[in-house]
């Protein structure tokens, strides 16, 4: 039998994700949840929802979260970590507030939260913390005893997150025709966000051009590219590119867009490209549509061979990384010495988001940070 691992003071882990529709009738209500307060007409939401309708109105993210829950529970059981794992979403069932209510009913008093976003940014961190604060406020209004909620640190540079991505790029290179393989370019892709949001991402001392969001992605891209060179013996040129822009045309967003980048690389004579979605934990809709559908169609139009490498998904190494992060945070909270596990130039991220970290345009309460109203 494995040794018993102790996650004290925590008595539960909550997987917190974005959520997605599970059928055609869900698409517009889901998008209404995502865009609530922005005044977007229903007809416009139907247009936006065409990406989902191409896939039967079903986002893959929920099934991917179910698979990851299974991987986490198996890893915890195999290693003797007795910690129940729950799942709640921001924008679709199972809703975060319902899950927290269930956790309170189950007697959970100290909850550690794992967000399905590896990097610092408003939409990738603080917005999750705002949703946590909203849900805690709802439970407080119901007269329930609130659990203390903490959030796991950003895991973009943990080996268990990096190694599956490295394997994916190596496998994609091997799948290219031999005559273009060694000259292939690596396009490391992540979600584009407004320049203003990127510049203010991370703690205040990191604010500036691109903020922590760009710095963290560049560090991951370098780590993956260096590992690919070591494994293949070929030094592939690479660039960080962006996808999934959704904002108003007059607002500057991070560039270059992946499709523009493919055109530019083709014009420069690059023989092939591997698209590596390092900014995404799993193959959800933005990967399936923006890369597998739209960018792949652009490459076909250009006659440019492309491959898309795998995301981390439910890889057992990622599940093991989460176990290590849970035990690391438990040790910190218990006053025990611990050496955080992180690769690259940036080191381990903060455990507690400081005041001024990834600020919102309109200030709102956010849980699990130094400015949390729920200590």
């Amino acid at each position: 039998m494995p040794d018993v691992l102790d996650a004290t003071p925590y008595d539960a882990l909550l997987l917190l994700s974005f959520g997605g529709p599970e059928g055609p009738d869900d698409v517009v209500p889901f998008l209404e949840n995502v865009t609530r307060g922005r005044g977007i007409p229903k007809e416009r939401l139907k247009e936006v929802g065409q990406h989902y309708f191409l896939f039967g109105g079903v986002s893959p993210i929920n099934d991917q979260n179910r698979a990851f829950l299974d991987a986490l529970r198996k890893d915890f059981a195999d290693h003797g970590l007795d910690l129940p794992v729950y799942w709640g979403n921001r924008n679709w069932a199972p809703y975060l507030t319902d899950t927290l209510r269930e956790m309170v009913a189950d007697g959970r008093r100290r909850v550690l939260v794992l967000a399905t976003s590896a990097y610092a940014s408003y939409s990738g961190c603080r917005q999750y913390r705002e949703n946590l604060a909203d849900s805690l406020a709802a439970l407080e209004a119901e007269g329930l005893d609130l659990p203390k909620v903490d959030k796991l640190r950003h895991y973009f540079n943990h080996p268990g997150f990096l190694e599956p991505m490295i394997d994916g790029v190596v496998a994609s290179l091997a799948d290219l025709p031999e005559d273009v393989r060694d000259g292939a370019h690596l396009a490391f892709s992540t979600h584009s966000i407004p320049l203003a949001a990127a510049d203010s991402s991370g703690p205040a001392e990191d604010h500036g051009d691109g903020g922590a969001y760009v710095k963290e992605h560049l560090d991951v891209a370098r780590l993956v590219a260096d590992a690919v060179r070591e494994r293949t013996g070929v030094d592939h040129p690479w660039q960080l590119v962006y996808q999934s822009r959704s904002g108003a045309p007059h607002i500057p967003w991070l560039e270059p867009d992946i499709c523009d980048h493919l055109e530019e690389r083709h014009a420069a004579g690059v023989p092939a490209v591997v698209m590596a979605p390092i900014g995404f934990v799993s193959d959800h809709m933005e990967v399936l549509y923006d890369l597998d559908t739209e960018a792949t169609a652009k490459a076909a139009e250009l006659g440019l061979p492309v491959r898309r490498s795998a995301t981390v998904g439910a890889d057992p190494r990622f599940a093991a990384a989460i176990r290590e992060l849970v035990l690391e945070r438990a040790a910190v909270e218990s006053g025990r010495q611990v050496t955080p596990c992180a690769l690259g130039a940036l080191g381990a991220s903060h455990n507690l988001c400081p005041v001024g970290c990834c600020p919102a345009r309109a200030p709102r309460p956010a849980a699990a940070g130094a400015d949390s109203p729920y200590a």
Side-chain angles (χ1 to χ4, degrees):
M1 293 292 291
D3 295 333
V4 175
L5 300 179
D6 187 8
T8 304
Y10 298 106
D11 56 17
L13 177 69
L14 168 61
L15 177 66
L16 176 55
S17 193
F18 192 81
E22 304 217 56
D25 292 342
D26 296 343
V27 172
V28 171
F30 162 73
L31 292 173
E32 287 175 334
N33 287 342
V34 174
T35 61
R36 180 168 286 116
R38 301 183 199 173
I40 299 177
K42 183 169 286 190
E43 290 307 311
R44 173 58 182 152
L45 294 179
K46 289 179 181 178
E47 293 175 17
V48 173
Q50 291 306 313
H51 295 180
Y52 291 96
F53 292 127
L54 286 174
F55 296 88
V58 178
S59 168
I61 193 170
N62 287 331
D63 278 345
Q64 289 162 4
N65 280 327
R66 292 182 184 102
F68 188 46
L69 285 168
D70 289 343
L72 283 172
R73 288 165 178 156
K74 182 180 186 304
D75 179 90
F76 287 8
D78 288 349
H79 291 85
L81 178 57
D82 183 15
L83 189 71
V85 185
Y86 295 75
W87 171 33
N89 288 325
R90 289 169 47 190
N91 299 298
W92 202 249
Y95 288 103
L96 172 59
T97 302
D98 295 336
T99 300
L100 282 173
R101 189 182 294 111
E102 176 189 357
M103 297 175 83
V104 170
D106 289 346
R108 309 305 175 193
R109 304 303 307 148
R110 191 76 187 270
V111 176
L112 194 52
V113 176
L114 163 64
T116 54
S117 176
Y119 300 86
S121 70
Y122 171 74
S123 58
C125 183
R126 186 175 180 89
Q127 194 169 17
Y128 282 89
R129 298 199 298 114
E130 289 176 352
N131 294 144
L132 280 167
D134 291 343
S135 293
L136 290 170
L139 299 189
E140 187 175 42
E142 296 172 12
L144 299 178
D145 291 332
L146 302 184
K148 186 177 186 329
V149 176
D150 294 325
K151 180 179 174 292
L152 281 176
R153 66 176 173 88
H154 302 303
Y155 46 83
F156 62 92
N157 56 4
H158 193 287
F161 185 65
L162 291 166
E163 288 163 3
M165 290 193 292
I166 295 165
D167 285 352
V169 174
V170 171
S172 292
L173 286 166
D175 192 49
L176 283 168
E178 189 173 359
D179 61 332
V180 299
R181 186 179 305 151
D182 286 354
H185 174 92
L186 308 181
F188 294 109
S189 185
T190 190
H191 205 302
S192 184
I193 60 175
L195 290 184
D199 292 346
S200 61
S201 59
E205 61 268 21
D206 289 338
H207 293 178
D209 292 346
Y213 186 75
V214 171
K215 290 176 188 174
E216 291 169 1
H217 280 89
L218 285 173
D219 206 37
V220 168
R222 290 189 192 98
L223 287 164
V224 174
D226 288 349
V228 169
R229 182 182 65 248
E230 291 173 8
R231 295 192 191 182
T232 65
V234 179
D235 190 6
H236 292 274
W238 62 269
Q239 186 169 338
L240 180 62
V241 301
Y242 302 92
Q243 62 176 87
S244 312
R245 174 180 174 142
S246 59
H250 67 281
I251 297 176
W253 283 50
L254 290 170
E255 297 178 337
D257 175 78
I258 178 63
C259 289
D260 295 338
H261 180 68
L262 292 176
E263 289 186 336
E264 188 272 334
R265 289 292 82 203
H266 175 66
V270 168
V273 173
V274 169
M275 302 180 292
I278 60 171
F280 304 91
V281 171
S282 63
D283 289 3
H284 55 64
M285 185 57 68
E286 286 164 320
V287 176
L288 291 186
Y289 183 79
D290 296 326
L291 294 184
D292 293 356
T293 304
E294 192 172 51
T296 299
K298 171 58 70 175
E301 173 191 317
L302 297 168
L304 178 67
V306 295
R307 297 293 185 272
R308 197 269 290 174
S309 66
T311 52
V312 174
D315 191 289
R317 290 168 291 183
F318 184 37
I322 299 308
R323 168 174 40 87
E324 292 172 6
L325 288 167
V326 166
L327 295 173
E328 174 195 300
R329 183 62 182 272
V332 169
E333 294 298 311
S334 299
R336 303 192 301 272
Q337 291 293 323
V338 62
T339 301
C341 185
L343 301 178
L346 300 181
S349 184
H350 47 262
N351 279 319
L352 190 68
C353 292
V355 175
C357 194
C358 303
R361 285 177 294 177
R364 289 179 54 199
D371 55 355
S372 172
Y374 300 102

